[in-house]
Amino acid sequence: MSRLLPIEIPGYRIAMAQRDDADMIDMLVDEWRRTRPNTRPEPMQVVGRVIRLGRAYEEHVTRLLRPHGLSYSDFDVLATLCRIGPPHEMSPTQLRHNVLLTSGAMTACLRRLETLKLIERRSAFADRRRLTARLTDVGVKKVEALIDARFALANDALAELDTDQRDALAMILRRLGRAPAPPASEVHRE
């Protein structure tokens, strides 16, 4: 059960839902309900939290990787090449689809990783104009040294959930991930 609690901020007086488990997203939704009663902010209860949790997890991983001279995307590329198994090699296009980087960002990432000697770029055997990215032995060792710590961060992020809750959440997020998003031009207004 929630009740409205006035909050004083210099220049503002807002009413926020006070609940035992209230968070910033509850406040955001309550503010939109108050200022725009015809707007339906309820989807932000889920979407806002997914975004916040994703950003928080990415920041934790970034702090883990920074001392090793790697960014979140750098490590994602290395881990992708490692998990496919020997010869740990993919085209930049294949990597882009696995890591979700733009073409330009992937090129910059591969250059950084090549400079660090964590990957090597080679001409594809069938087409010398095409390059592939291949994980070096140094790159494999880097992934092996960090991957368990990265998975431990993911486990810590889910510490409040038991196994059944984790499985249920994974199923729900998988379902949402499969749903096609409407193009921006098709988003309707009430």
Side-chain angles (χ1 to χ4, degrees):
M1 185 100 189
S2 65
R3 70 185 198 297
L4 290 180
L5 173 73
I7 306 268
E8 294 289 337
I9 298 175
Y12 297 93
R13 181 175 169 83
I14 60 174
M16 181 179 116
Q18 178 62 41
R19 300 180 353 192
D20 292 339
D21 63 345
D23 65 5
M24 185 185 91
I25 301 299
D26 290 315
M27 184 178 77
L28 173 147
V29 169
D30 286 344
E31 289 171 352
W32 280 118
R33 283 180 183 141
R34 183 178 49 78
T35 59
R36 292 185 53 94
N38 293 329
T39 296
R40 308 252 338 168
E42 291 77 14
M44 290 307 293
Q45 293 283 358
V46 174
V47 174
R49 287 184 177 94
V50 168
I51 291 168
R52 287 190 75 214
L53 289 169
R55 286 180 181 161
Y57 177 71
E58 188 170 341
E59 178 55 34
H60 291 298
V61 173
T62 298
R63 278 190 250 135
L64 167 71
L65 300 173
R66 193 175 292 128
H68 300 275
L70 297 173
S71 72
Y72 188 91
S73 296
D74 292 342
F75 190 76
D76 246 2
V77 168
L78 296 174
T80 298
L81 290 169
C82 190
R83 78 171 180 255
I84 64 168
H88 306 293
E89 187 170 5
M90 294 176 98
S91 72
T93 301
Q94 291 170 313
L95 280 167
R96 249 189 21 245
H97 292 298
N98 279 277
V99 180
L100 302 175
L101 289 176
T102 65
S103 179
M106 179 58 71
T107 300
C109 180
L110 293 176
R111 282 188 186 132
R112 264 190 320 276
L113 295 174
E114 188 174 35
T115 300
L116 294 170
K117 308 232 184 288
L118 300 172
I119 66 159
E120 59 185 15
R121 292 195 289 176
R122 308 166 5 139
S123 295
F125 182 75
D127 183 353
R128 295 263 180 227
R129 295 170 295 170
R130 264 187 62 213
L131 291 178
T132 61
R134 184 176 191 159
L135 199 56
T136 63
D137 290 341
V138 174
V140 170
K141 288 176 184 166
K142 184 70 81 172
V143 173
E144 293 295 330
L146 294 169
I147 197 65
D148 288 334
R150 182 169 180 187
F151 290 153
L153 286 174
N155 189 57
D156 291 348
L158 299 174
E160 294 295 316
L161 304 177
D162 64 33
T163 302
D164 290 340
Q165 291 169 323
R166 289 178 185 204
D167 292 345
L169 181 58
M171 181 187 68
I172 291 166
L173 292 173
R174 186 180 304 112
R175 182 174 178 185
L176 287 175
R178 287 187 197 138
S185 61
E186 292 182 24
V187 174
H188 65 282
R189 300 176 194 268
E190 292 182 28

